[in-house]
């Protein structure tokens, strides 16, 4: 690859990300086992099943360790998925700066879609409608036991802290 390659990585709370991944898969496969049965190897011990992709993807520190073998940290921009929702213009400003682009995307380009719970791009000139996330985004998540969610938070905590150290950013997922 070109040694000037820049990588933009959107990350979000790995617990929320796992639940979102499960929700999307469940919508396509209604017979899917429960979140708990997929996330835990054994419900009595609470051991997390790291072979399940929805869990494994959120191990950002492990992924970054691999990527850093090929790319310097300065070639990465880590975008907060939470801030992308709460402040899309701010995060897009960071992206434009990272890429060395003139800031052309600003607050005036976004509106918050109450139905989806996400920001959308306002209608571009010459277009009949605004651009928003697809049907698979913004759907309600299933009810999941607070004990299972806490077990996942405890599991991810050391990986999150390592990722914060490696990336130089604290995403506040604890």
């Amino acid at each position: 690859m070109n040694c000037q390659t820049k990588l933009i990585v959107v990350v979000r709370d790995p617990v929320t990300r796992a639940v979102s991944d499960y929700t999307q898969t469940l919508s396509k496969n209604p017979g899917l086992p429960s979140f708990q049965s997929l996330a835990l190897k054994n419900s009595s011990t609470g051991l997390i099943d790291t072979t399940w992709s929805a869990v494994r993807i959120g191990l950002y520190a492990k992924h970054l360790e691999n990527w850093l073998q090929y790319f310097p940290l300065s070639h990465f921009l880590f975008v907060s998925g939470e801030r992308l929702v709460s402040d899309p213009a701010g995060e897009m400003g960071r992206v434009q700066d990272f890429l060395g682009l003139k800031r052309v995307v600003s607050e005036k380009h976004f509106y918050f879609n109450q139905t989806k719970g996400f920001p959308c791009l306002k209608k571009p000139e010459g277009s009949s409608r605004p651009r928003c996330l697809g049907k698979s985004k913004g759907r309600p998540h299933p009810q999941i036991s607070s004990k299972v969610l806490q077990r996942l938070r405890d599991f991810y905590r050391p990986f999150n802290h390592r990722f914060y150290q490696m990336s130089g950013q604290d995403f506040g997922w604890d």
Side-chain angles (χ1 to χ4, degrees):
M1 283 202 187
N2 182 322
C3 64
Q4 299 303 312
T5 298
K6 293 187 176 188
L7 301 157
I8 300 170
V9 182
V10 179
V11 294
R12 67 188 291 200
D13 178 333
V15 175
T16 306
R17 208 215 59 71
V19 173
S20 182
D21 184 287
Y22 173 78
T23 302
Q24 184 155 346
T25 305
L26 185 63
S27 73
K28 297 172 185 171
N29 182 3
L32 198 64
S34 72
F35 181 89
Q36 178 173 330
S37 67
L38 293 168
L40 303 179
K41 279 186 179 180
N42 180 323
S43 59
S44 58
T45 64
L47 189 64
I48 302 297
D49 188 351
T50 57
T51 65
W52 185 34
S53 64
V55 167
R56 200 173 54 250
I57 292 169
L59 299 172
Y60 303 131
K62 289 193 170 278
H63 300 303
L64 184 55
E65 284 172 3
N66 291 331
W67 298 334
L68 288 174
Q69 294 176 48
Y70 305 100
F71 303 99
L73 185 61
S74 62
H75 287 217
F76 286 87
L77 175 68
F78 298 99
V79 174
S80 164
E82 289 84 7
R83 284 193 304 266
L84 201 51
V85 171
S86 66
D87 180 19
E91 285 300 284
M92 290 306 298
R94 291 182 61 237
V95 168
Q96 292 167 101
D97 292 347
F98 175 71
L99 295 174
L101 301 173
K102 180 181 173 189
R103 283 194 176 206
V104 295
V105 178
S106 66
E107 289 178 15
K108 71 179 184 178
H109 293 97
F110 296 96
Y111 75 96
F112 191 79
N113 182 312
Q114 296 291 341
T115 305
K116 285 209 164 277
F118 285 100
C120 300
L121 283 169
K122 289 183 179 173
K123 184 174 91 169
E125 280 188 47
S127 175
S128 61
R129 59 192 170 106
R131 304 269 185 225
C132 211
L133 294 171
K135 293 176 185 171
S136 68
K137 304 295 182 188
R139 66 168 59 93
H141 290 174
Q143 195 69 21
I144 295 169
S145 156
S146 60
K147 286 183 180 181
V148 171
L149 295 176
Q150 187 57 53
R151 180 64 196 104
L152 275 170
R153 291 204 185 292
D154 294 342
F155 166 77
Y156 279 118
R157 187 170 294 109
F159 295 101
N160 291 345
H161 283 246
R162 178 78 179 120
F163 180 63
Y164 299 165
Q165 290 171 338
M166 294 171 75
S167 67
Q169 294 180 61
D170 184 336
F171 291 89
W173 296 323
D174 296 320

